[in-house]
Structures are given as structure tokens and as C-alpha cells.
Amino acid sequence: MTSETRASPGEDVGLKRHIGLIGLIWTSEGSIIGSGWLFGALYAAEAAGTAAIISWLIGAVAIIILALVHAELGGTYPVAGGTGRFPHYAFGSVAGASFGWFSWLQAVTVAPIEVMAALNYASVYLPGLQYGKNQLTALGYGIAVLLMALFVFVNFLGVRWLAHTNSAATWWKVGVPVLTMVVLAATQFHGGNFGIGGFAPFGAAGVLSAVSTSGVIFALLGFEQADQLAGESRNPSRNIPIAVLGSIFVGALIYLMLQIVFIAALPADAFAHGWGNLAFPAKAGPFAGLATSLGLGWLATVLYIDAVVSPSGTGLIYVTATSRVSYGLSRNGYVPMVFERTTRRGVPWFGLVFAFLIGLVVFLPFPTWQKLVGFVTSASVLMYAGAPLAFGALRLQDAQRHRPFRLPAGGFFSPLAFVVANLIIYWAGWDTLWRLGVAIVLGYVLLGLASGLKLNPRTPALEWRSAQWLPVYLVGMGVLSWQGGFCSTGPASAAGCGAQGHLPLWWDIGAVTAFSLLIYFWARAV
């Protein structure tokens, strides 16, 4: 298969182009505002202290750089499951199948995280849902199954119903954090809190670790949902760049302001055991705990309602995205054709059912919200790393194609985006990355079986030459993480994770940067 034909996507059959601009924007925004706002401010403050504000700024800049690349790709190649297909157009089957698997792995794990977040808040009133440190009981697991089934049911109603349902939920999801910011800032703003323990009690390592392990990047993920639904957009060339960039600017501003208000509103006794162990009444979540301690019972009630609505809305969209990514993988010939089967309403039904079943399994190896976040952040950014590589290659291979949004200084931002993605992967910690490595190997086994059993007649020939850099990239990132000093628990915890600590801070950033640039230009050259 030549690069020219790879970069010429065909029409996605069976899908209905029913989503307009507002629906696309709210799809991405609804994915960004999820459980991250309920927990991200707390975990970032525990990892970095007041310097968590810097963590959010770093995360916002990183995601905006990645979003700029996605905006051009999504507008130029408006296909279903775009993030899993751009590398296919640029590098062919081996790299395409790999990044397609990373994309699906990320999407399928988000809905369980959102369900876990909702149940964590609900357990304040229903303690039988969890035991130990937020692990699900049999009852909790049963309710998790019902919530996942609800996501699938709404998706079966069709993309138009999905867009309307998500839009209604997103208005609520954006309104509640804004209301919380205003109320807390007006009633309890202690400027002195920003100096407790020094600005950065855990140093630069705490700031950087918080970006990947404390929910910062996880909270900002979701802008790419417009790319995933591009095959169902009425005017994708115009709407996708607007939706991708608009949603991330709004989401980043909301999260940054929430972190500032959260730190300022903390009562003095919350710091009794230091930043690493901020305390709240009973088992209440961070913002609900603040509202309770300040006597704002009505706000706490609103937050507990939102603790079900916000995560559920995000979980709903990610179940949608998972089915579209698997649809796209099938269109590229990597997985069985059954994933392309759609209902008369244009819904890839088999992909939905499969995502539901796999999503239930995800609860098992990572039983708490924060552990799931570390895993999915790594899988997400590994998926995002494919976009800058594809961007650079397609600018050369497919230079004549019309680009509705053409990223200025793309030759600078593209390798920068790849460096940013790899730094976020590195900061996630060795204990997260080795688990991700196991999942990658499993994915290759499954994709190999699908190819060997000829479950899709469009299975492409293996194009190794254009992906010769891929194994070096994956193994190299693993070695750098192993030799580095980052763990998913962050520097506030004394727990080790097997990282050797042979790469000192800053030297490790230089090593990851140099390695990333080597891989980027190697990939573009072949």
C-alpha cells in the first residue's frame, strides 16, 4: 500500500452525519469536565502543595500544544475514530495498528474511572458500596455494571439522542464547577494558605509528578472526542478545529480557577498532617468536604448530585468513542469486520457491547480512582504521541491536500508536541508504565490473532520499514522510565515502585527530550 492511498481515507459507511458544531464542542467539553474536577484539585495539592497551580499551567500548555496538532489532523482527515487512524495514513499497518490499539485502550478505560468516581462520592451515603481504600464491594460492582449498561443503552438510541443527552448534561457539568468557584471564593478565601509549607513543599518533582499522576492531564483529556466523532459531523472540516481548540481553552480555565479557590478555601485543620495528607470531614470528597466544613450544606448536596451527573456524562461519551475507535480499526483492517456492524440508526452496536464487557474487567487490576488515572493517562498520552508523528509525516506525504485549519509553525509545534507527550508518559511513573507495557503486548497478541485468522478481508500487508522506529521508541521509553525516579504515588509518598533513580531530575528531562526528537525525525524520514 502506498503512502498516497493510505492518506486517502474512504467514506465511513453506516454512520449518520447528524452532529453540528455545538454538539461537537459539547462532546469534547463534556469529556473534559468529568470526575477530574471532583478529585484533581485535591490530589494535585497533595502532590505539589501550592505549586499545584504550576502543575495545571504546565498541563494546560501541554494539552493545548497537542490539541493544535489534532485540530489540523481532524479537520483534514474527518473520519470516525480519528486518533486511532491518523498514524495508519502516515506510517501504514504496523504503526497504525499499534497506535490504534493505544487509542482504543485509552478510550475503553475512561468510563470505568468515571463510574468509580461517582460511586466514591455516593459511598458517603451508601457505605456498602466500597470497603478498604475505595475498593468496590459486590453491591458496588453490581451498581457499576448497571451504570455501564446505562451508557450503552443511551448510545443505542443513536448519535442524535446522544448529542442531545450530552448537551443537557454538559450545561449542568460546566455550571456546577463555576457555581462552586464563585461561592467558595465569596465565603472562604484565605490568602495565607498559599504560603503554608513553602510554595513547592515537594520541589520540582512534586510539580511534574502531579501533572501525570494526580489527575491534571487526566482532567484535561477529552478534547479529541470531536476527532473521534468526525465521521458523524455535518461539517467536519470547519467544526472539528473549532471544537477541539474551544473546548480545551474553556476546560483549562475552569480547572485552573478551581485549584486556586480550593487551596484558598482550605480550613487550618486540613493541614494538620501536611499537604500530603489533607483531611476532610468523614469520607466526603474534596469540594463536598469543604462545603460541609464551611456550613454550606446546600452546596454539598448540589455537589453530590453532580458527582453522579459529571462522571456519568463523561463515561457516556467515552463509551461512544470506544465504539467509534474500534469501528475505525475495522475499517483499516486491523480487527474483525463485526466491529463495523451498525444499527439502522447508524450505531456500531458490536463495538458498544464489547466496550461494555471490557470496561467491567478494567475495575479489577486498578481498584481505586487514582491508580486508574495513572494508567489511563499513560495510555492516553501514548495515543496522543501518534498524532504529532502522523502530522509531520502527512505534511510531507500529503502536502497538496486542503487543510481547513493549517497550524502556523507546524514544523516547530509538531516535534514539540511529541516531546510533551513523552514527558507526560515519563512522569506517570515506572509502576504505571510496566503495566501499560503488559497491555501493549496483549494488544499485539490480539491483533496478531485477528490477522492470522483472517477475520477481516481488508487486513493490510505488514509495512515494517515505515515503522522501524516503533519498537525502539516503546522499549526506549520503558528503559528511561525504569532508570528514572518517578512513581505513580508521587514524591509525597515514601513508597517505591522499582524505578532505579539513576537519571537525576532535569537530566532525565533532557534525556527524554533528546530521545523524542531522535524518534520523531527518524519516523518522518522513513
Side-chain angles (χ1 to χ4, degrees), residues 89-156:
Y89 300 143
F91 300 106
S93 58
V94 175
S98 299
F99 283 99
W101 167 249
F102 306 154
S103 181
W104 185 85
L105 185 66
Q106 173 262 350
V108 81
T109 51
V110 171
I113 294 178
E114 301 301 327
V115 169
M116 178 66 73
L119 295 181
N120 194 15
Y121 261 77
S123 65
V124 174
Y125 295 109
L126 299 171
L129 298 178
Q130 295 182 333
Y131 71 94
K133 191 173 182 180
N134 303 331
Q135 298 189 32
L136 294 178
T137 62
L139 174 62
Y141 197 89
I143 293 179
V145 172
L146 291 177
L147 279 173
M148 293 286 289
L150 177 62
F151 299 160
V152 173
F153 172 75
V154 174
N155 271 277
F156 262 102

Side-chain angles (χ1 to χ4, degrees), residues 94 444 464 467-477 515 519 522:
V94 175
Y444 284 139
W464 288 105
Q468 58 189 257
W469 49 270
L470 181 60
V472 178
Y473 167 58
L474 295 176
V475 173
M477 283 303 300
F515 178 72
I519 295 296
W522 181 8

Side-chain angles (χ1 to χ4, degrees), residues 19-33 159-160 162-168 170 173 221-230 232 243-244 247 313-318 320-321:
I19 304 181
L21 175 60
I22 300 302
L24 277 180
I25 293 175
W26 256 195
T27 295
S28 286
E29 196 64 60
S31 299
I32 292 171
I33 307 296
V159 72
R160 184 175 284 157
L162 172 73
H164 290 323
T165 302
N166 179 67
S167 292
T170 303
K173 290 165 66 175
L221 299 179
F223 66 84
E224 81 287 351
Q225 294 308 324
D227 282 344
Q228 312 294 40
L229 294 177
E232 293 154 278
V244 167
S247 63
T314 302
L316 172 67
I317 290 299
Y318 270 96
T320 309

Side-chain angles (χ1 to χ4, degrees), residues 225-243:
Q225 294 308 324
D227 282 344
Q228 312 294 40
L229 294 177
E232 293 154 278
S233 169
R234 283 198 292 266
N235 189 356
S237 296
R238 176 181 70 92
N239 293 347
I240 290 173
I242 296 173

Side-chain angles (χ1 to χ4, degrees), residues 6 82-104 329 332 334 382-387 389-390 393 397 418 440 444 447 460-471 473-474 519 522-524 526:
R6 283 202 306 261
T83 56
R85 298 173 78 178
F86 302 144
H88 167 85
Y89 300 143
F91 300 106
S93 58
V94 175
S98 299
F99 283 99
W101 167 249
F102 306 154
S103 181
W104 185 85
L329 291 176
N332 286 351
Y334 299 144
L382 192 55
M383 170 195 76
Y384 290 142
L389 293 173
Q397 295 175 20
F418 188 58
I440 290 171
Y444 284 139
L447 291 171
L462 296 178
E463 295 171 283
W464 288 105
R465 182 185 179 279
S466 56
Q468 58 189 257
W469 49 270
L470 181 60
Y473 167 58
L474 295 176
I519 295 296
W522 181 8
R524 197 176 70 162
V526 298

